[in-house]
Amino acid sequence: MRRYGSPVNATRFVLAVVLATGLVIPMIAARASAQSTIPLVLSVPSLWEDVLTPDLLAEFEAQHPGVDVITTFSTTTFFGFGMPGSTVDDQLDTTEEQVLAADVLYVDQTTLSAAGTQAGYFLDLLPLAMSDPTLDVADFVPAVWQSYQWDNGLWALPLSTDVILLTYDPVAFDEAGLAYPHERWTIDDFANAARALTQYNADGAVATAGFSTVSGGNNQEVFLRALAGTGLYDVTTVPNAPSLANPALEYILQTWYELTQEGVVLAQGGGRDENVPLRVEGINGYTQRGPNQNSAETRYATLLPGGVAGLSVQGFAVSAGTQYPELAYALASFLTGRSELTSNSFSAAPARYSLASTQSATNTSAGAGGVPGGGPGGGFFGNRTIPETIQPVIDQGLAAGLPIAELRFVSYLSTALSDMRTNGTDALSALQVAEAQAISDMQTAMARAGTTSLYVTAPAPEPELPPGKIELTCAVNLGFGGGLGGFSQLANQEAWDRLIADFVARDPQVGAVTLEQTRESDLAALAEQYDCFILPSNAVEGADVSSLLSLDPLLDTDPTFDRNDVIGNTLTQLQQDNKTWALPLAIEPQMLEYDPDQFARAGVPEPLNGWTVDAFVDALRMLKPYDTDPTPFVAEDPSGSYLMMLIAAFGGLPLDYRTDPPAVNFTDPATVDAIRQVLDLAAQGYISYGGLQSFRLADPGTTTTPAITTNTLNQFRVLRLPGAGNTTQSTQVTTTYPQGSQYGVIAYEITTGYISVTAQNPDATYRFLSEVSRHPRLFSGMPARQSLTSNPDVVAAQGAEIVAVYQQLDALLRSPNTIVFPTFTTGRGGGGLTMIQSYWLRRAFDRYISEGADLELELAEAEALTLAYLECTQSITVDVSETSGQQMGRQFELIGQCATSVDPTFSMGG
């Protein structure tokens, strides 16, 4: 059994992906005949690496002696044929690469489409399914089973599904005097509700839309298809041809377009929708983010128009290029029967009724949780919390779901809407153009059928090490900051491959470096398994570093390393007992950015070299001369750390991060005064304010670009400085937070590298990490060394002006009066222990803003509760015999018990 990663897992292999020709047939035949085992390549998402374990696949291999399942982990996704900005050729090319690289592929509605099947890229599984005596079709939810059946074929076996419904806030409907939505509503009913529910600013601009479909990839199209009441294809032809242009759909699309133009509806790309009272959303996304992130809100649900629900179905398909179709089908069938895989990040329910009962023990649904359609009763949604107001509708939705087959070609509705917005095209003409494009795309796909020799070739075995060479193992965990879609995935595999190849070619000792992606963050667990590992934050502070190697002897003998070259006091933050335990690889400073055009119109001087607190306050007041003007400072930070930094700049330190753990002093007069000044600015509308207790972003109150906002300085944000003459599309200018007369403030994260104390070759391991540190573009952050700001790659990405910013940051960090604050995602500021530590302080802020509570009394209560909580946590211990995941879970359980013991009303949900 072999496991390979794309983009990252084992870089010490040669991946042979044969892309097209009959010339490879003899090679494949010879290889197959010479093999003692049968290789089956399985491609699944990268985030499944910890779930799709070798032990799980070993069960399949034991059932099929001689089979070797080779797992590859992929990040490749796209968003539907016909979507604006994509071409059918590009997407077919991507699909072709996928089916040439794996026998069995994880698929969903974005990666398995009618175009892909008509191009001949996927094996029709219907003959194999019909002859499979172990397959019980009645065990599948009917609509889910039908999802990948079209054009007389079965193109995938379903694994799991999400259910897309209408959810709504009954309080908002009651206040607007509206009847609750139901399945018989028409587009006119939705238009009336959207307009009535929309909240407006004093100037007439939309503050909060009344209706949204933005919370899912294709929720807008699913909703429009439900309104249409019929599929967008011609049932009289096989393959089914696209059919979009009809009068009923014309009226629906025209009305929808008008609603989005008015701003009363948020569609794809329309912004945040957590405050929107009526939403189309998948239940999986709903349960993950919760009802408005606020436990006080109760949402109801109903089916989509026509009495249906949308389905987002995941499954396994087989490449038409497999050399072992029966075994590939058997593997796909085996995987769809595994409950470990049905509880994935994309779904809310397994496709099979029989798997529902296996999850019932952990079901936390407040409703009945029964399975419709004759399947077994019990929890269908694993450990997700399903509100009792929604559960019955989910059950109805599973019974009346729209199979994926019924959603074919709906992505072309986005093409039509884009045409209407961009070119002013009327709805019918736009639908006709979109239909013509869909037909052309299908013709392009069918023309590809049979033109490419499809043969899946397994990755080559790992080569042997040259004599006298060693292998290093290193793990990479980049957390939220380094991955796509918020997972620990590396998007720059080629850059890592080049670095490793260059390093191995030059290093006299190292012959191979095995690089694996991981979600593990426990120092001891990582140090036990790897020579080195990379984490997205500083894990040294307050940690047990006994599993780590002190780097000082290596740093001091490295002629390429200068301690004074490291920005600010970054190196000091990675020390315990005057020893350095991590190598800084990159930093991500939290910055502000402002719109120079708005500053100029308001007559506000630009903060060319930073600004003082007084200058910052003057800017806010000049940017908002009237109460009806938009809020000038809108922070993209639900944790409220931007407020904590502003409070420090005003001279207050409710939590003093110069000590570990942070010192608590909410009631110091200077702190109370600073908190009041900052919160009053928020209460008066100069600074955005969400619900800090529930980590909710504030509604900006306008769709225009704010005058001031927060950002993170990294390689994904092109830097623009005052007077830089930058001609990029972004007009925002980067600057620091305002600095006070007593304290300077900054928050930044450090990407860090560590060496295990048990590493067999620490010198070689350090040489590799040192090489990584000279390539900050491997990470989402910026260089941790000033000398690297002249690196051509950095300059090309950020401009020569980055040197000036680094000088400013370096001076700020070296100042003894600067307070370094935690970022939202760090263990230091975002872990369970410290997040709860600030819970009662954030609650005091909320009560002062929203209820006008007495600030001194609230802060006094918050301080007393916080100190009592901290005293309780001092007695928390963990069982060292447990895994790191078990220890973390146990710790969270115990700190939660401490919080509720001092305050029975405690709830992290708000």
Side-chain angles (χ1 to χ4, degrees):
M1 182 183 308
R2 285 175 277 165
R3 291 159 66 82
Y4 294 125
S6 172
V8 176
N9 195 355
T11 46
R12 188 169 65 90
F13 71 92
V14 179
L15 179 59
V17 178
V18 182
L19 288 178
T21 80
L23 295 177
V24 301
I25 297 176
M27 297 171 59
I28 293 173
R31 179 176 174 182
S33 62
Q35 288 174 333
S36 58
T37 59
I38 297 174
L40 280 182
V41 184
L42 169 64
S43 176
V44 294
S46 293
L47 69 155
W48 281 17
E49 187 171 4
D50 294 335
V51 178
L52 196 65
T53 62
D55 289 344
L56 187 153
L57 293 174
E59 293 185 35
F60 176 81
E61 292 172 340
Q63 297 170 13
H64 299 83
V67 171
D68 178 22
V69 179
I70 304 167
T71 309
T72 64
F73 299 94
S74 171
T75 61
T76 304
T77 58
F78 51 85
F79 297 102
F81 287 84
M83 292 292 286
S86 63
T87 67
V88 67
D89 283 315
D90 290 341
Q91 296 186 357
L92 287 171
D93 288 344
T94 299
T95 303
E96 184 174 302
E97 292 174 4
Q98 292 173 331
V99 299
L100 286 169
D103 298 277
V104 180
L105 306 95
Y106 167 91
V107 293
D108 59 23
Q109 64 268 24
T110 70
T111 51
L112 177 55
S113 68
T117 59
Q118 291 182 26
Y121 289 147
F122 295 95
L123 185 70
D124 180 4
L125 302 181
L126 188 59
L128 292 166
M130 292 179 65
S131 61
D132 179 5
T134 67
L135 182 68
D136 181 9
V137 174
D139 188 32
F140 288 86
V141 177
V144 179
W145 170 251
Q146 297 161 13
S147 280
Y148 290 111
Q149 298 182 43
W150 57 74
D151 297 338
N152 297 329
L154 170 64
W155 306 107
L157 298 180
L159 169 73
S160 54
T161 187
D162 196 5
V163 183
I164 301 171
L165 303 168
L166 276 166
T167 72
Y168 60 95
D169 178 4
V171 174
F173 274 78
D174 292 343
E175 292 176 348
L178 293 171
Y180 297 160
H182 54 75
E183 63 193 53
R184 294 181 298 281
W185 268 25
T186 66
I187 186 62
D188 292 327
D189 295 316
F190 284 102
N192 176 62
R195 292 181 174 117
L197 292 167
T198 296
Q199 301 294 314
Y200 296 89
N201 292 323
D203 61 359
V206 171
T208 303
F211 187 24
S212 171
T213 61
V214 304
S215 62
N218 69 335
N219 287 350
Q220 171 182 255
E221 290 76 22
V222 170
F223 175 70
L224 295 174
R225 161 60 183 85
L227 280 169
T230 186
L232 307 183
Y233 56 88
D234 184 354
V235 296
T236 66
T237 63
V238 179
N240 300 147
S243 177
L244 280 74
N246 66 72
L249 191 54
E250 173 193 0
Y251 180 76
I252 292 169
L253 202 68
Q254 181 63 41
T255 305
W256 186 253
Y257 168 75
E258 293 170 357
L259 294 171
T260 59
Q261 292 300 105
E262 293 175 27
V264 299
V265 163
L266 288 179
Q268 263 72 345
R272 302 191 304 267
D273 72 344
E274 58 264 28
N275 297 323
V276 175
L278 179 62
R279 301 194 297 252
V280 177
E281 58 187 337
I283 190 60
N284 182 48
Y286 173 84
T287 56
Q288 286 186 3
R289 72 175 180 175
N292 195 20
Q293 297 296 321
N294 188 334
S295 60
E297 181 196 56
T298 299
R299 293 187 76 87
Y300 292 175
T302 186
L303 295 176
L304 298 177
V308 298
L311 296 180
S312 177
V313 180
Q314 303 80 42
F316 289 97
V318 173
S319 168
T322 184
Q323 301 171 60
Y324 313 103
E326 293 84 1
L327 287 171
Y329 166 83
L331 177 57
S333 180
F334 170 83
L335 294 171
T336 64
R338 303 300 303 203
S339 60
E340 305 97 315
L341 303 184
T342 61
S343 299
N344 61 69
S345 299
F346 312 116
S347 70
R352 298 182 186 229
Y353 290 126
S354 58
L355 295 182
S357 59
T358 66
Q359 300 180 5
S360 59
T362 57
N363 180 31
T364 55
S365 169
V371 179
F380 207 72
F381 294 91
N383 57 4
R384 291 177 172 84
T385 300
I386 309 298
E388 61 182 3
T389 56
I390 291 180
Q391 179 65 57
V393 186
I394 297 171
D395 295 341
Q396 296 171 23
L398 283 168
L402 283 173
I404 296 298
E406 282 298 312
L407 299 175
R408 281 175 294 160
F409 312 121
V410 296
S411 59
Y412 289 92
L413 295 178
S414 290
T415 301
L417 285 166
S418 178
D419 187 15
M420 295 170 71
R421 285 192 302 267
T422 304
N423 304 315
T425 309
D426 65 88
L428 181 58
S429 298
L431 286 169
Q432 291 170 339
V433 171
E435 179 181 299
Q437 181 63 55
I439 292 172
S440 175
D441 288 348
M442 295 309 107
Q443 291 172 343
T444 298
M446 285 187 286
R448 286 201 178 200
T451 61
T452 299
S453 298
L454 299 175
Y455 295 95
V456 176
T457 303
E462 298 177 354
E464 295 294 328
L465 281 173
K469 293 285 188 175
I470 64 169
E471 177 185 5
L472 300 179
T473 60
C474 192
V476 180
N477 176 353
L478 293 187
F480 294 108
L484 300 175
F487 300 111
S488 182
Q489 303 170 0
L490 297 180
N492 50 355
Q493 171 68 32
E494 292 182 0
W496 281 96
D497 287 345
R498 287 194 301 270
L499 178 140
I500 291 173
D502 292 344
F503 173 77
V504 169
R506 293 195 314 268
D507 193 89
Q509 187 181 11
V510 179
V513 176
T514 296
L515 193 70
E516 295 186 2
Q517 69 170 357
T518 182
R519 293 186 180 186
E520 182 62 74
S521 59
D522 181 76
L523 296 179
L526 289 165
E528 181 180 6
Q529 187 172 356
Y530 302 99
D531 297 310
C532 63
F533 52 92
I534 295 168
L535 297 178
S537 61
N538 175 11
V540 173
E541 187 173 11
D544 177 1
V545 295
S546 59
S547 62
L548 303 179
L549 182 72
S550 171
L551 302 183
D552 295 287
L554 299 166
L555 295 173
D556 293 339
T557 56
D558 180 1
T560 69
F561 184 81
D562 180 0
R563 290 176 183 267
N564 294 322
D565 187 36
V566 178
I567 187 169
N569 62 352
T570 299
L571 204 60
T572 304
Q573 296 186 53
L574 304 177
Q575 294 176 345
Q576 276 192 31
D577 300 325
N578 295 319
K579 293 182 179 180
T580 307
W581 302 99
L583 186 66
L585 305 178
I587 64 170
E588 288 192 48
Q590 306 296 306
M591 308 288 283
L592 296 182
E593 64 181 19
Y594 64 91
D595 183 348
D597 293 335
Q598 293 190 53
F599 271 51
R601 288 195 299 270
V604 178
E606 293 188 48
L608 302 179
N609 298 303
W611 41 12
T612 65
V613 165
D614 290 339
F616 177 73
V617 173
D618 289 343
L620 294 179
R621 298 191 186 282
M622 294 173 69
L623 290 163
K624 183 183 171 67
Y626 302 105
D627 291 342
T628 56
D629 289 332
T631 299
F633 180 20
V634 178
E636 295 288 333
D637 177 10
S639 74
S641 61
Y642 68 100
L643 289 175
M644 298 297 290
M645 284 194 281
L646 289 177
I647 289 168
F650 276 82
L653 289 178
L655 291 170
D656 189 346
Y657 289 100
R658 292 174 297 185
T659 64
D660 182 25
V664 175
N665 191 353
F666 301 167
T667 56
D668 176 79
T671 293
V672 174
D673 182 63
I675 291 173
R676 189 187 305 277
Q677 290 184 68
V678 173
L679 294 185
D680 283 349
L681 288 171
Q684 294 161 13
Y686 294 105
I687 299 175
S688 65
Y689 190 91
L692 296 188
Q693 191 182 358
S694 53
F695 303 106
R696 188 170 68 250
L697 283 170
D699 194 307
T702 179
T703 58
T704 61
T705 301
I708 307 170
T709 189
T710 55
N711 78 3
T712 299
L713 182 57
N714 57 37
Q715 61 171 294
F716 301 116
R717 300 294 294 259
V718 177
L719 180 67
R720 184 177 184 272
L721 298 176
N726 195 308
T727 57
T728 60
Q729 291 183 351
S730 174
T731 62
Q732 299 298 100
V733 176
T734 302
T735 189
T736 58
Y737 274 78
Q739 306 300 313
S741 58
Q742 187 175 359
Y743 303 119
V745 296
I746 190 172
Y748 72 105
E749 197 44 82
I750 314 170
T751 302
T752 45
Y754 304 81
I755 297 178
S756 169
V757 72
T758 60
Q760 296 298 304
N761 300 280
D763 290 345
T765 306
Y766 172 79
R767 290 196 300 273
F768 174 67
L769 273 185
S770 179
E771 181 68 19
V772 171
S773 73
R774 289 188 284 273
H775 294 77
R777 293 276 292 166
L778 291 170
F779 311 103
S780 64
M782 303 305 298
R785 305 189 200 181
Q786 293 186 75
S787 59
L788 291 177
T789 58
S790 59
N791 181 298
D793 286 342
V794 176
V795 173
Q798 298 291 344
E801 302 84 8
I802 191 175
V803 178
V805 164
Y806 267 66
Q807 290 174 345
Q808 194 175 9
L809 292 174
D810 183 59
L812 186 59
L813 284 168
R814 292 184 188 277
S815 170
N817 296 325
T818 296
I819 310 294
V820 178
F821 284 81
T823 62
F824 183 42
T825 57
T826 67
R828 180 173 172 236
L833 192 67
T834 50
M835 238 355 144
I836 296 177
Q837 180 174 319
S838 64
Y839 170 85
W840 292 279
L841 178 64
R842 289 182 277 110
R843 185 173 72 179
F845 290 178
D846 284 357
R847 288 177 174 176
Y848 179 71
I849 291 289
S850 62
E851 302 172 17
D854 185 287
L855 183 60
E856 286 86 349
L857 292 177
E858 291 294 333
L859 290 174
E861 180 187 33
E863 181 177 292
L865 291 170
T866 302
L867 291 173
Y869 159 76
L870 290 175
E871 182 179 359
C872 176
T873 61
Q874 294 301 308
S875 62
I876 290 179
T877 59
V878 295
D879 185 349
V880 295
S881 66
E882 296 180 333
T883 66
S884 60
Q886 290 172 329
Q887 291 179 19
M888 183 176 295
R890 179 59 176 162
Q891 185 188 48
F892 271 92
E893 179 184 354
L894 292 174
I895 64 177
Q897 291 175 3
C898 280
T900 54
S901 69
V902 301
D903 179 6
T905 68
F906 168 82
S907 169
M908 284 301 289

